[in-house]
Amino acid sequence: QVQLAESGGGLVQAGGSLRLSCVASGRTFSSYTMGWFRQAPGKEREFVSHISGSGSNIMYVDSVKGRFTISRDNAKTTVYLQMNSLKPEDTAVYYCAARAYYGSTNWRDYIYWGQGTQVTVSS
């Protein structure tokens, strides 16, 4: 069982930055692929980025490439999402999630979820 807790969301102007954090419980954090997803009102949950347990494999959705950076600190059982050059279309609830295997960008394949943190980008 893994429990996840996100933090770091908020209101920011377009062009600004936020850093999301997700702290995980459990002693096997380094064995999990960690993903960030987002969901805007009326839209389906969307893949943003994920990182393998070792941190050696990373993927981003095209819309955030060059602006967002995912990282993890296995000693702190924490995964981060640094978001720069934010745009109004980045507004959503951001969720971190965990699964045992690397590769899937489908939110349905992720087993453990945090409660989400709201990110609002004003124009």
Side-chain angles (χ1 to χ4, degrees), residues 67-83:
R67 301 188 298 122
F68 290 11
T69 302
I70 191 171
S71 61
R72 66 189 296 159
D73 185 334
N74 287 341
K76 296 182 178 180
T77 65
T78 302
V79 62
Y80 305 97
L81 187 68
Q82 177 67 43
M83 306 186 295

Side-chain angles (χ1 to χ4, degrees), residues 1 8-9 17 23 30-31 34 36 39 43 46-47 51 54 60 68 71 73 77 82 85 89-90 92 96 110 112 123:
Q1 187 78 8
S17 298
V23 179
S30 61
S31 67
M34 299 300 298
W36 285 99
Q39 189 165 19
K43 294 187 176 182
E46 174 190 30
F47 167 79
I51 184 169
S54 66
Y60 300 97
F68 290 11
S71 61
D73 185 334
T77 65
Q82 177 67 43
S85 302
E89 51 264 43
D90 294 318
C96 71
Y110 280 73
Y112 303 107
S123 58

Side-chain angles (χ1 to χ4, degrees), residues 2-9 20-25 34-39 45 92-98 111-119:
V2 177
Q3 294 183 323
L4 304 173
E6 304 96 334
S7 62
L20 305 184
S21 299
C22 173
V23 179
S25 66
M34 299 300 298
W36 285 99
F37 294 80
R38 64 187 180 186
Q39 189 165 19
R45 193 164 296 189
V93 177
Y94 282 71
Y95 299 90
C96 71
I111 306 302
Y112 303 107
W113 289 87
Q115 80 287 352
T117 185
Q118 177 70 48
V119 172

